[in-house]
Amino acid sequence: MEPGSAQVALLVLSELTTNAVRHGRVPGRYYEVRIAYDAEKLIGIEVTDPGDGLPVITDATPEAESGRGLAIVAAFAEAWGVRERVVGKTVWAQVRL
């Protein structure tokens, strides 16, 4: 996958959304996805979920079935971070096309 491709943005979106569904799920509450594009070819991706706890990058072993999502986001995004909310958090990333 070539850095700066639209597939990179889709990969980052997929990883953040999967994390929200797997780790931030609260019955009866939803998660939200926001995508913004500016004239500088920068895509902003935000995924908000109602779950407690902040995400951290882990050192997944080669045989582990999960635990690589944020490492992938960090490797391909120009920047990423977490904003705490009254309920839950928003994980964001910026990808340059």
Side-chain angles (χ1 to χ4, degrees):
M1 192 173 315
E2 222 175 286
S5 69
Q7 288 80 13
V8 169
L10 290 173
L11 175 63
V12 169
L13 173 62
S14 173
E15 293 298 337
L16 294 182
T17 305
T18 299
N19 283 349
V21 171
R22 291 192 65 191
H23 305 293
R25 186 173 180 275
V26 173
R29 298 202 177 216
Y30 297 100
Y31 66 93
E32 178 181 15
V33 174
R34 302 182 101 183
I35 301 172
Y37 177 74
D38 70 5
E40 299 299 318
K41 297 194 175 197
L42 191 65
I43 295 177
I45 301 166
E46 295 183 350
V47 179
T48 301
D49 69 62
D52 292 334
L54 299 178
V56 294
I57 295 178
T58 60
D59 292 327
T61 62
E63 52 279 338
E65 292 184 17
S66 64
R68 294 176 186 83
L70 284 180
I72 291 170
V73 171
F76 285 103
E78 191 163 296
W80 77 278
V82 181
R83 286 193 308 272
E84 292 185 68
R85 298 169 43 102
V86 173
V87 176
K89 74 259 180 207
T90 298
V91 183
W92 61 269
Q94 295 177 330
V95 176
R96 186 166 304 280
L97 290 182

